[in-house]
């Protein structure tokens, strides 16, 4: 029998600014319920009266029919005294303590797409159409609450038609803050900056069509997009691609490509359903795909690699541009070499002049620069490599045990930098900021710290930074700690990588320790030396270093990153010894190559220990091997270039079975650690070079050998430690081949493997791990002393 009742329903999660209340209203009316729905500081609150069956049906549908951009984290239902309402209505928001979230930007939805392609609609071919299910969010927010007045859309008063859509609960645009139309919203125009195939009159009369025409003619176009400027050109035109590289001074790094639809992408790359779904998701990231299709790009798109980063158009503007282009377009960030992507009109006019032949501009200001995200599929699961548009600033929920985490701020690392705000039990990782060594990136990073503080009304009780004394983020944290008299915790780099991986996998605060396998370029070690290939027995509070890659000199410090041959030399000297190399392998091209380098000077540096720090770095080992087989030996344009090319070649290896190189695992008597030693691997590699074994086969043998060696290290550690779980983390695990092979081996040994997915495995995920360590130590300290762990 049906019973009439009144319930109060509390919904938490990403439920504001995403069309949640109108959905509630529609479902409630559908089910014949009366009551009200409102936003408050904790999310959405519903009070409703109706038959018990209708209420339970309503609750089920709330989950299954929730709007696409919402994310329900939990729903709490309480019975109230029976109460009558006249109808169901959307009530005024209640403001209070701000715990609400800012939603990431979302790709154009199907309804808006259909609308801008329909000549009968008033938004036909309008580049700024959006609704509650799609469009700009974080990129236009200046302040919270997320109302039009607090976004850059404040410059565009709504016309009467937009206003009525905005106020109508049944409309798709009910309370869509960036609502706009050709009458009242932003508009585009085209500025020519050099002699063009387009005339000024054409550019003025038909900006969009002229921009498309100019791309077809091989010219370079700057486009003001959602989170910043792009530079675009015809991706199939070799001259255009080369011209863009030369003008942008971007060599080596691959270009992202945008294509109008999946069909066009599938001509270049085979697509799995997971990849297709990811490309079409509201996050619409750049997805790294294997370039194995019938059509090929010119070499300049992704030099030395087998993969191409593809994305689908995610704004109406991009949709209109690509729809009328019968070929894919390069869509790379609009910047000069390593500077951040340009966002403002004036900076573009100055900074991109000389790169772009024309600029497609618009007048909706970009409040927050946000790059395109990059995702790779590993083991059929999306792994975010660069976390920005579509993903940031969505919150990562803290696992059980972290309920009392204090409000804190983690400053992240130095490269691929992000920072992390912890507030009200959630961690908000910032969008990708870039490399702080670049002055304008560092300026931007500081501006963003202020912006997040404002948006989240965040007053940290403590600060966290990396141990590295030279990181600009660490220096800034120290300054701030002393200015504001706040406690500062400095945490070890690879411990933070490990806890970042644990946290995103929901490992509870008091879980037993896991083995963190953190492999990357380099990070400041707990003993003051450089680490980068670490086996750490870790929980959230502390770690014990069990093993490491055998330390090898980095000749010239960071210069070794730019000139990979330095690592080959160091590995040969440290491994088999230079004289033994000369004795046995002087017939090799590698020998002839290395003796052209200033070896005498280097030997003196080694002898006097001048600027040749020891580093247990996995990244430098990759550099050394890549350079030895002839990849980027003289110069790497970016860190890890050699490793990426080596991986690409290993994937191309046609042999069904590659015998893995053998590594040694040794006990080091001085530091008491297990060392993963590559000297035997070098012996075999040099023999292979002499036997003129194909480079792809050598690359494959190296990858499989390294995976075996990692497995061997874990097995040795398990001889003395009880272990069920490993956390695979660090920039070197961006290497899909290595990661998948390590996972396969460790799983067959009965271990659970934690991997990154939502948070980058590279230094972009560091801030989250720093936050976890600081929160864990704070919680531990706040416990009454008799309850503290004795460990
Ligand atoms: Zn839409
Ligand atoms: Zn309008």
């Amino acid at each position: 029998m049906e019973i009439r009742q009144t319930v109060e329903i509390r919904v938490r999660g990403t439920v504001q600014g995403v069309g949640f209340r109108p959905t509630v209203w529609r479902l409630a009316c559908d089910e014949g319920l009366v009551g009200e729905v409102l936003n408050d500081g904790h999310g959405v609150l519903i009070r409703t009266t109706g038959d018990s069956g209708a209420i339970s049906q309503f609750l089920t549908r709330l989950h299954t029919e929730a709007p696409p951009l919402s994310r329900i984290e939990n729903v709490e239902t309480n019975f109230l005294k029976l109460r009558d309402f006249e109808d169901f209505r959307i009530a005024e928001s209640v403001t209070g303590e701000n715990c609400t979230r800012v939603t990431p930007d979302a790709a154009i939805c199907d309804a808006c797409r259909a609308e801008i392609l329909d000549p009968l609609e008033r938004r036909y071919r309008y580049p700024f159409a959006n609704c509650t299910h799609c469009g700009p969010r974080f990129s236009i927010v200046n302040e919270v609450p997320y109302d039009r007045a607090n976004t850059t859309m404040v410059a565009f008063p709504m016309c009467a038609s937009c206003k009525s859509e905005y106020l109508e609960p049944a409309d798709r645009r009910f309370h869509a803050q960036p609502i706009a139309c050709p009458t009242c919203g932003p508009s585009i125009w085209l500025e020519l900056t050099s002699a063009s195939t387009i005339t000024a009159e054409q550019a003025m009369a038909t900006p969009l069509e002229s921009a498309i025409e100019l791309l077809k003619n091989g010219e370079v176009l700057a486009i003001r997009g959602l989170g910043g400027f792009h530079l675009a050109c015809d991706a199939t035109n070799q001259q255009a691609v080369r011209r863009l590289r030369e003008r942008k001074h971007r060599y080596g790094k691959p270009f992202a490509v945008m294509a109008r639809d999946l069909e066009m992408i599938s001509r270049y790359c085979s697509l799995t359903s997971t990849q297709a779904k990811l490309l079409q998701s509201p996050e619409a990231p750049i997805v790294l795909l294997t370039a194995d299709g019938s059509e090929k790009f010119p070499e300049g798109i992704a030099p030395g690699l087998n993969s191409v980063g593809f994305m689908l158009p995610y704004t109406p503007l991009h949709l209109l541009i690509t729809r009328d282009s019968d070929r894919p377009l390069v869509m790379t960030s609009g910047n000069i070499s390593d500077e951040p992507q340009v966002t403002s009109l004036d900076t573009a006019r100055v900074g991109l002049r000389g790169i772009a032949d024309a600029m497609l501009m618009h007048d909706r200001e970009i409040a927050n620069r946000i790059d395109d995200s990059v995702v790779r599929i590993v083991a059929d699961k999306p792994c975010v490599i660069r976390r920005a548009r579509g993903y940031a600033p969505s919150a990562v929920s803290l696992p059980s045990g972290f309920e009392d985490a204090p409000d804190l701020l983690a400053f992240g690392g130095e490269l691929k930098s992000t920072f992390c705000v912890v507030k009200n039990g959630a961690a908000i990782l910032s969008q990708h900021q870039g490399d702080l060594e670049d002055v304008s990136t560092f300026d931007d990073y500081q501006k963003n710290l202020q912006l997040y503080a404002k948006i989240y009304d965040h007053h940290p009780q403590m600060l966290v930074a990396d141990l590295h004394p030279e990181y600009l983020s660490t220096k800034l944290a120290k300054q701030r700690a002393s200015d504001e008299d706040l406690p500062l915790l400095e945490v070890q780099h690879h411990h933070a990588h490990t806890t970042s991986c644990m946290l995103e996998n929901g490992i509870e605060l008091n879980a037993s320790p896991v083995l963190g396998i953190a492999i990357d370029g380099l990070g400041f070690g707990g003993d003051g030396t450089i680490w980068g290939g670490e086996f750490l027995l870790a929980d959230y509070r502390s770690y014990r270093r069990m093993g490491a890659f055998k330390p090898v000199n980095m000749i010239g410090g960071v210069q070794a990153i730019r000139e990979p041959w330095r690592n080959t030399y160091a590995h040969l000297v440290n491994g088999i010894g230079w004289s033994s190399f000369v004795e046995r392998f002087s017939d090799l091209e590698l020998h002839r190559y290395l003796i052209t380098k200033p070896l005498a000077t280097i030997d003196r540096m080694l002898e006097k220990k001048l600027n040749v720090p020891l580093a247990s770095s996995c990244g430098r080992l990759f550099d050394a091997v890549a350079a030895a087989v002839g990849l980027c030996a003289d110069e790497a344009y970016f860190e890890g270039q050699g490793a990426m090319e080596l991986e690409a070649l290993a994937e191309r290896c046609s042999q069904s079975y590659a015998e893995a190189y053998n590594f040694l695992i040794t006990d080091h008597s001085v530091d008491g650690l297990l060392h993963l030693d590559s000297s035997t691997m070098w012996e075999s590699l040099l023999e292979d070079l002499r036997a003129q074994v194909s480079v792809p086969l050598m690359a494959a043998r190296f990858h499989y050998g390294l995976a075996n060696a990692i497995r061997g290290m874990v097995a040795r550690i398990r001889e003395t430690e009880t272990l069920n779980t490993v956390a695979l983390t660090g920039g070197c695990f961006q290497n899909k081949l290595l990661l998948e092979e390590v996972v396969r081996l460790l799983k067959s040994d009965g271990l659970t493997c934690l991997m990154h997915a939502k948070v980058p495995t590279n230094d972009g995920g560091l801030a989250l791990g720093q936050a976890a360590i600081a929160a864990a130590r704070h919680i531990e300290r706040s416990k009454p002393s008799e309850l503290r762990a004795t460990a």
Side-chain angles (χ1 to χ4, degrees):
M1 197 186 70
E2 295 277 8
I3 303 167
R4 196 161 172 80
Q5 49 192 208
T6 301
V7 293
E8 184 177 78
I9 305 162
R10 151 75 58 206
V11 190
R12 288 190 177 84
T14 308
V15 289
Q16 297 187 1
V18 290
F20 204 83
R21 288 173 305 158
T23 305
V24 168
W25 175 83
R26 180 174 60 78
L27 294 177
C29 296
D30 253 22
E31 295 297 335
L33 302 177
V34 291
E36 59 186 6
V37 56
L38 54 94
N39 279 342
D40 66 8
H42 298 274
V44 164
L45 191 67
I46 305 162
R47 294 191 192 96
T48 184
T49 301
D51 290 339
S52 53
I55 291 178
S56 92
Q57 186 63 19
F58 167 78
L59 281 169
T60 311
R61 290 181 68 189
L62 203 55
H63 284 279
T64 53
E65 296 176 39
L69 299 183
S70 68
R71 231 178 46 202
I72 298 178
E73 275 162 23
N74 79 45
V75 177
E76 235 175 71
T77 310
N78 289 306
F79 289 97
L80 301 181
K81 212 169 111 227
L82 194 64
R83 171 177 165 188
D84 241 331
F85 296 90
E86 266 175 39
D87 52 8
F88 198 95
R89 62 188 197 97
I90 297 176
E92 280 293 307
S93 297
V94 179
T95 48
E97 198 207 347
N98 161 39
C99 344
T100 56
R101 314 269 168 83
V102 181
T103 318
D105 303 282
I108 182 170
C109 72
D110 291 342
C112 286
R113 175 192 304 267
E115 208 177 76
I116 65 166
L117 299 177
D118 181 350
L120 298 177
E121 287 287 348
R122 68 189 190 96
R123 290 187 179 86
Y124 177 57
R125 289 180 73 76
Y126 182 56
F128 304 94
N130 65 78
C131 71
T132 40
H133 307 316
C134 75
R137 293 287 187 280
F138 182 62
S139 62
I140 57 167
V141 175
N142 283 316
E143 266 180 81
V144 285
Y146 175 65
D147 284 330
R148 190 176 179 95
N150 289 334
T151 71
T152 58
M153 282 302 290
V154 68
F156 303 94
M158 280 182 229
C159 69
S161 311
C162 286
K163 187 92 191 174
S164 70
E165 292 168 334
Y166 181 86
L167 293 174
E168 171 52 59
D171 196 279
R172 198 170 93 245
R173 296 194 165 91
F174 176 72
H175 280 216
Q177 304 304 340
I179 187 173
C181 77
T183 312
C184 65
S187 50
I188 55 166
W189 68 94
L190 185 66
E191 295 180 17
L192 301 177
T193 56
S194 64
S196 173
T197 51
I198 300 292
T199 65
E201 292 70 37
Q202 279 174 299
M204 179 94 86
T206 53
L208 193 62
E209 293 70 16
S210 304
I212 294 165
E213 177 72 17
L214 182 147
L215 286 167
K216 279 186 184 153
N217 298 340
E219 293 181 62
V220 174
L221 178 69
I223 303 169
R224 192 185 208 195
L226 182 76
F229 272 81
H230 278 130
L231 287 162
C233 74
D234 177 353
T236 64
N237 181 331
Q238 193 168 347
Q239 280 83 22
V241 173
R242 191 185 309 140
R243 205 174 306 132
L244 177 55
R245 279 206 182 277
E246 281 164 7
R247 290 183 189 171
K248 204 178 176 236
H249 304 296
R250 181 179 171 119
Y251 308 101
K253 265 193 191 173
F255 279 151
V257 177
M258 187 182 273
R260 70 174 171 220
D261 53 22
L262 290 178
E263 186 279 323
M264 187 181 277
I265 296 179
S266 66
R267 286 187 233 156
Y268 295 86
C269 302
S270 57
L271 279 172
T272 65
S273 60
T274 309
Q275 289 164 337
K277 217 172 110 196
L278 186 58
L279 285 161
Q280 292 174 303
S281 67
E283 291 83 9
I286 295 169
V287 181
L288 300 184
L289 302 171
T290 308
D292 54 1
S294 54
E295 290 190 43
K296 303 280 175 227
F297 283 117
E299 168 72 11
I301 294 290
L305 303 179
N306 310 330
S307 59
V308 181
F310 258 115
M311 61 182 149
L312 288 172
Y314 54 86
T315 71
L317 180 60
H318 292 115
L319 181 75
L320 293 168
I321 294 169
T322 50
R323 217 183 114 74
D324 293 330
S325 306
D326 54 356
R327 62 203 75 179
L329 301 173
V330 167
M331 203 61 77
T332 186
S333 48
N335 58 354
I336 309 140
S337 44
D338 290 328
E339 288 181 12
Q341 195 178 13
V342 171
T343 55
S344 82
L345 295 174
D346 289 342
T347 322
R349 285 181 187 124
V350 178
L352 303 181
R353 176 175 290 274
I355 302 179
D357 298 299
M359 302 190 188
L360 190 59
M361 305 294 218
H362 68 68
D363 51 1
R364 186 180 69 201
E365 289 305 318
I366 297 167
N368 304 312
R369 173 175 70 81
I370 190 151
D371 298 275
D372 294 317
S373 293
V374 181
V375 181
R376 184 172 201 178
I377 303 286
V378 178
D380 207 38
K381 278 203 316 230
C383 289
V384 176
I385 293 173
R386 183 167 75 198
R387 188 175 174 279
R389 177 182 52 76
Y391 296 95
S394 58
V396 181
S397 7
L398 296 176
S400 150
F402 280 100
E403 290 76 12
D404 296 325
D407 289 2
L408 59 87
L409 175 62
F411 282 73
E414 175 94 340
L415 303 174
K416 300 184 170 72
S417 181
T418 60
F419 56 84
C420 182
V421 163
V422 172
K423 190 179 171 177
N424 294 327
I428 296 134
L429 188 62
S430 80
Q431 78 268 37
H432 166 87
Q433 309 281 323
D435 299 350
L436 301 185
E437 293 157 344
D438 175 76
V439 180
S440 37
T441 306
F442 188 51
D443 281 351
D444 224 50
Y445 167 87
Q446 297 182 67
K447 223 179 69 200
N448 280 321
L449 279 169
Q450 287 171 8
L451 178 88
Y452 274 67
K454 193 164 81 170
I455 290 183
Y456 293 100
D457 189 23
H458 188 239
H459 307 280
Q461 298 168 33
M462 63 189 301
L463 308 177
V464 207
D466 193 274
L467 261 183
H468 202 306
E470 294 304 318
Y471 277 6
L472 289 167
S473 54
T474 303
K475 289 181 175 173
L476 190 68
K478 283 182 179 164
Q479 186 61 48
R480 173 122 181 236
S482 105
D483 289 351
E484 298 179 21
D485 198 21
L486 287 170
L488 168 70
L489 181 67
E490 290 162 77
V491 298
Q492 202 280 322
H493 192 94
H494 304 93
H495 185 213
H497 270 307
T498 305
T499 54
S500 169
C501 185
M502 289 163 64
L503 190 124
E504 86 147 293
N505 283 283
I507 300 296
E508 293 182 7
L509 174 62
N510 291 314
S512 36
V514 308
L515 183 69
I517 305 177
I519 53 175
D520 64 1
L522 45 98
F524 200 80
D527 58 1
T529 69
I530 299 174
W531 295 4
E534 307 307 313
F535 296 76
L536 308 177
L537 196 62
D539 59 22
Y540 284 110
R541 294 170 204 92
S542 58
Y543 68 90
R544 190 147 55 94
R545 193 181 191 206
M546 308 299 293
F549 282 42
K550 186 182 165 203
V552 170
N553 297 95
M554 269 175 70
I555 296 166
V558 288
Q559 225 180 328
I561 301 174
R562 286 191 289 270
E563 298 180 16
W565 64 266
R566 290 168 180 267
N567 302 298
T568 314
Y569 183 68
H571 266 274
L572 291 174
V573 171
N574 280 262
I576 65 172
W578 181 251
S579 55
S580 159
F581 172 73
V582 174
E583 209 172 285
R584 293 158 59 201
F585 298 103
S586 60
D587 56 319
L588 293 186
E589 176 55 35
L590 179 62
H591 175 259
R592 281 192 289 278
Y593 169 75
L594 285 174
I595 56 174
T596 65
K597 302 295 179 188
L599 301 186
T601 312
I602 288 172
D603 288 340
R604 271 197 305 280
M605 289 164 69
L606 285 169
E607 196 184 319
K608 294 191 174 139
K609 298 197 168 72
L610 276 176
N611 201 17
V612 288
L614 284 170
S616 55
S617 167
C618 179
R620 297 296 82 77
L621 172 63
F622 265 95
D623 286 347
V625 171
V629 300
L631 303 172
C632 318
D634 275 327
E635 187 182 3
Y637 292 113
F638 56 95
E639 189 180 7
Q641 187 183 3
M644 279 169 73
E645 293 186 16
L646 200 64
E647 180 193 4
L649 286 170
E651 277 181 344
R652 251 181 247 176
C653 174
S654 50
Q655 243 97 339
S656 58
Y657 173 73
E659 197 190 340
Y661 287 142
N662 192 26
F663 287 70
L664 285 179
I665 294 172
T666 56
D667 287 289
H668 194 258
S669 55
V670 179
D671 57 18
L673 297 176
L674 288 172
H675 276 178
L676 192 158
D677 180 337
S678 59
S679 52
T680 45
M681 183 281 300
W682 282 104
E683 299 263 358
S684 320
L685 179 75
L686 294 171
E687 295 292 354
D688 276 1
L689 279 174
R690 170 175 289 148
Q692 295 182 332
V693 168
S694 79
V695 178
L697 181 56
M698 288 188 283
R701 296 188 69 186
F702 171 69
H703 276 82
Y704 292 125
L706 188 57
N708 279 343
I710 289 172
R711 175 198 218 175
M713 289 286 281
V714 176
R716 283 291 303 275
I717 292 167
R718 287 178 93 185
E719 288 173 9
T720 56
E721 307 294 329
T722 315
L723 267 184
N724 309 311
T725 307
V726 294
L728 305 174
T729 185
C732 292
F733 276 126
Q734 267 171 233
N735 186 312
K736 180 172 183 260
L737 183 64
L738 181 67
L739 178 59
E740 286 180 342
E741 183 63 7
V742 168
V743 168
R744 189 182 71 77
L745 295 173
L746 294 182
K747 274 192 177 163
S748 73
D749 293 342
L751 287 157
T752 302
C753 295
L754 308 178
M755 282 174 278
H756 286 279
K758 291 173 277 184
V759 171
T761 188
N762 56 47
D763 284 6
L766 215 51
L768 184 69
Q770 294 176 344
I773 296 170
R777 293 207 190 146
H778 177 90
I779 293 167
E780 173 77 15
R781 269 198 312 277
S782 336
K783 268 196 257 174
S785 55
E786 64 271 21
L787 292 177
R788 273 183 218 168
T790 44

